[in-house]
Structure formats: structure tokens, C-alpha cells
Amino acid sequence: MRMNETPGPVLMSSQTPMSLDQPLHPESSIAADEIASNLVRLVDSSATATLLFDAGQRVLYANRAAVALAKTVSALDKDRILNSVHDWHPDLLPAEAMHICLTRGDWMGEVLLNVTPGRHLNLMVQLSMLGLGHTWPCGLYVRDLTDDYTREAGLHARNAELEITYAKFKGVQEKAIQSEKLASIGQLAAGVAHEINNPIGYVNSNLSTLQQYVANFMEIVEICSDAIVRSGDPAAVSALEEARRRFDLDFLATDVGQLLTESREGIERVCKIVQDLKEFARGNHKDDWVKADIHKGLDSTLNIAWNELKYKSEVIKTFGDLPPIECLPSELNQVFLNILLNAGHAIKGRGLITVSTGCSNDKIWIAIADDGEGIPEDVLPRIFEPFFTTKPVGSGTGLGLAISYGIVAKHNGKIEVTSVPGQGTLFRIELPTEQPSRPI
């Protein structure tokens, strides 16, 4: 049989369970040879490649699909006569498969054939001993799964793309939700700060008045004391000295002034925090781009974050001369806060945080560095990814730096990070003084 010839049927003379001389049904009048001919035509028209071969692997029959398969997988000359299974392909029939088939009567498995360099076929191969008692001849059925695998690989790739797209969409959605939460919290904080500001204002005013009243009272006490001493009345002078000793008047005169001064300083500190909180939490809309002083934003943010930083770090500011820049001040304050808090978390024990600024041509830069644990090299490329965090579960959302990156990009700026494990981390933010195009 040549590869370009249409194979003819080869009928075996071995015993079969049912004689072809007998019809399948008593009422059938179809002759046995007609049934055999129809069966051969049925197999020959099948899309499954079918071979019939003997113990010497000599091919007794091959249908059209088998001949077509030979043209696809055979490494031999296309005009070569196909006499044995080996002529189809040397690796078409695995040795262990034939052994199992002879033992059990059949075998089924997948075979990977290398057809040409860089091209292979995935075949489903089935062997069946067709003679009685698992004897010869043997049937070989082959189905090409290559297209199925290709479609499956395409589906897996498409599914992976959809999962990535879904993850990105979910990240954007979560980020939007988080931004809404932050905006709501900001509005709430601004409202609370406003409410606190009123009582703090009159307490501060009252303390100032009280300090003046106390000073007046102390002056009156001194005048009265001097008058008693000048009167020369022994009983009155004795009573005065007793009162001074009993109430420790000299100490009170000194301490009450210090107490009132410290109280006023504390109230002024609270007023500053409230004012910074109002400034920090002030909501922005798309038309709220203003010229702002970056140093003022850094100072107010440091004031807000100081409670987190003061116990574990010293903060050193090295500010250059900066022009006002066009920006959304509260959003940049959020960036500064995120980086400062991360710097504080990176320091174990006691450390140093430096905040530096400078100007170059039409851009300004802000550098925030710490001498903490640093960021591992394999983690560094991922720190701006949404929801990526190295903190324990429940200790961080992984959104702080992602939001910061988005805010800086919104300002047509860039944010870079360098880090050395065990030595510290440096964040450098560069922003234009004028927006090249009004961000949305």
C-alpha cells in the first residue's frame, strides 16, 4: 500500500463470536458478505485512523484516515509503501503498550510524536486484540488531539488573561471604594476638627485671661504683704508669715505662672494639631488645584504623624528654597503621610528619618529617608502594586503606596524608591511647579 493510494479492505480469516453467514436478526435477509462490506465502508469513512496488523506488525488494513495520518507523521518518503506499523512512525506504538495489550487484551494512552523540529502531535492511541482469547490480529485506533490541546491551551491563556483583567478591575474597584472611604473619613475628620476648634478656642482665650487675672491677684497679694509689714503690727506680721509658710506662697507665686504657661502651650499645640487636621483632611474637587507651599504641607503632615514617630525616631528636616507649586495639597499630604508612616514602621527600636526638599529647573523634589530594615530586592519592584504588603495579615491593606503612586502620577510627577536591606530606604518624589495639562 502506498501513501497516495486508497486502501482496500483486508478481511481476516480468524474465528469470530458470530458467524457472518447468520443474520443479526432472524427476519434480516442481508447477506453476510454485504454486512462485511458495509462494515468495511463504515470503518473506512471514520475520522479515527484505524489499522489492522499481525504479530509481525505487518499492516493488513488501513482506512483513509490512517493513510492521511501517515502523510502527517511519517518521516519517510511520501511514495514509500506502508507495510508495517513502523512505517507510519517509529514511536507510534510504545513497546510497553504492546506488552500490556497482549496481557490484558487492550491498551489506551496518549503518545507524543515529534514530527519535525519544533513541531509535535498529541495522539490518543488505542490497541485491541481482536482474536478470541486475546489473540491476533490487533487493531490500532489513533485520534489526533493536537487541535484539542491547542484550543485548550488557547482557552487557558484566555482564561488567564480574563483572570488578570478581573484582578485589575477588582483592584481598581477596591481602590475606588477605599478612596471613597478615605474621602468620607476626611470629611468626618474635618467636621470633628471644626467642632473641636470652637471649645479649644474659648478655652485658649479663657486661659489667657486667667493668666492675667492670676498675675493681678499675685500683685495684690504682694502689695498687701508689703502694707502689713510696713504697719509694724506684730500680730498681723505674724499671721502673714504663718500664711506664707502654710500655703507656701512663694512657691505658688512661681508655680501658678508656670502651670498657666504650660497649659496655654498645650492648648496652642492642640489648636495647631486641629488646624493641621483640618488642612490635611480638606476635601478637593477637580477644580481645587491651587498654588501651595509644600513645606507647609510637610510640616502639618509631620505634626499629624508625630504621635506615631516620636517614640522610635528622630526627624531631621533639611528644607531648600521652593516656589509654590500647582497641586492638590491634601492629596500630596496623604502621600507624605503614607511614606512617613511606612518609614516609622520600618524602624525597629530607635532610628532616624530625614525629610529633604530642593528645586531643579521647573521641578521640585521631596526626599524622605529612614535607616530602618530596608526592602528586600525581590519585593522592591512590587511595592506600588495595589494590595501588596509585607505586613502581617490584618496589619496593612497594601493600598498606601499604590494610592501614593497614583496621586503623584496624577500630578504629572514621579516617585522612585531605593533601598538597601539592613540600611534603610529612600523615597524621592519629583513634581512640576506648573501642571503641563490640567489633570482630571
Side-chain angles (χ1 to χ4, degrees), residues 189-205:
V192 171
H194 178 73
E195 291 300 320
I196 293 175
N197 201 43
N198 289 333
I200 288 295
Y202 62 70
V203 170
N204 187 35
S205 177

Side-chain angles (χ1 to χ4, degrees), residues 220 234 350 358:
I220 292 172
R350 189 75 183 174

Side-chain angles (χ1 to χ4, degrees), residues 70 86 129 144 152 293 411 438:
H86 188 274
M129 300 303 296
D144 190 352
E152 184 177 357
D293 182 358
H411 283 74
R438 180 52 58 86

Side-chain angles (χ1 to χ4, degrees), residues 235-303:
V237 171
S238 176
L240 175 62
E241 293 299 327
E242 176 62 24
R244 279 184 175 275
R245 284 193 300 271
R246 185 152 55 95
F247 295 109
D248 198 358
L249 190 59
D250 294 335
F251 171 76
L252 287 178
T254 303
D255 193 48
V256 70
Q258 292 179 352
L259 288 176
L260 288 170
T261 299
E262 290 176 1
S263 297
R264 288 197 63 190
E265 289 176 354
I267 289 296
E268 288 170 0
R269 169 74 173 156
V270 172
C271 289
K272 182 67 167 59
I273 292 173
V274 169
Q275 184 59 38
D276 288 340
L277 183 59
K278 288 175 67 178
E279 178 67 23
F280 183 86
R282 184 174 64 88
N284 280 298
H285 303 285
K286 63 181 181 180
D287 57 345
D288 283 336
W289 290 79
V290 296
K291 289 282 190 176
D293 182 358
I294 290 297
H295 289 161
K296 183 179 178 182
L298 284 169
D299 284 335
S300 64
T301 304
L302 280 168
N303 199 26

Side-chain angles (χ1 to χ4, degrees), residues 241-400:
E241 293 299 327
E242 176 62 24
R244 279 184 175 275
R245 284 193 300 271
R246 185 152 55 95
F247 295 109
D248 198 358
L249 190 59
D250 294 335
F251 171 76
L252 287 178
T254 303
D255 193 48
V256 70
Q258 292 179 352
L259 288 176
L260 288 170
T261 299
E262 290 176 1
S263 297
R264 288 197 63 190
E265 289 176 354
I267 289 296
E268 288 170 0
R269 169 74 173 156
V270 172
C271 289
K272 182 67 167 59
I273 292 173
V274 169
Q275 184 59 38
D276 288 340
L277 183 59
K278 288 175 67 178
E279 178 67 23
F280 183 86
R282 184 174 64 88
N284 280 298
H285 303 285
K286 63 181 181 180
D287 57 345
D288 283 336
W289 290 79
V290 296
K291 289 282 190 176
D293 182 358
I294 290 297
H295 289 161
K296 183 179 178 182
L298 284 169
D299 284 335
S300 64
T301 304
L302 280 168
N303 199 26
I304 295 293
W306 184 239
N307 190 59
E308 288 282 337
L309 304 178
K310 63 183 179 181
Y311 298 108
K312 59 193 321 184
S313 63
E314 178 186 1
V315 177
I316 297 178
K317 297 187 294 183
T318 308
F319 288 173
D321 293 328
L322 298 184
I325 71 167
E326 188 179 7
C327 65
L328 297 169
S330 66
E331 291 197 5
L332 289 182
N333 288 348
Q334 180 70 56
V335 174
F336 303 149
L337 181 65
N338 290 340
I339 296 175
L340 286 168
L341 292 181
N342 279 351
H345 295 158
I347 296 173
K348 307 302 180 185
R350 189 75 183 174
L352 177 68
I353 296 175
T354 61
V355 182
S356 307
T357 64
C359 183
S360 176
N361 297 326
D362 58 346
K363 292 181 174 61
I364 69 160
W365 55 265
I366 305 101
I368 301 175
D370 66 75
D371 59 356
E373 293 186 324
I375 304 172
E377 186 177 354
D378 59 329
V379 172
L380 199 59
R382 301 190 60 194
I383 62 170
F384 295 115
E385 292 181 11
F387 309 106
F388 177 79
T389 179
T390 57
K391 296 176 183 177
V393 175
S395 299
T397 62
L399 281 172

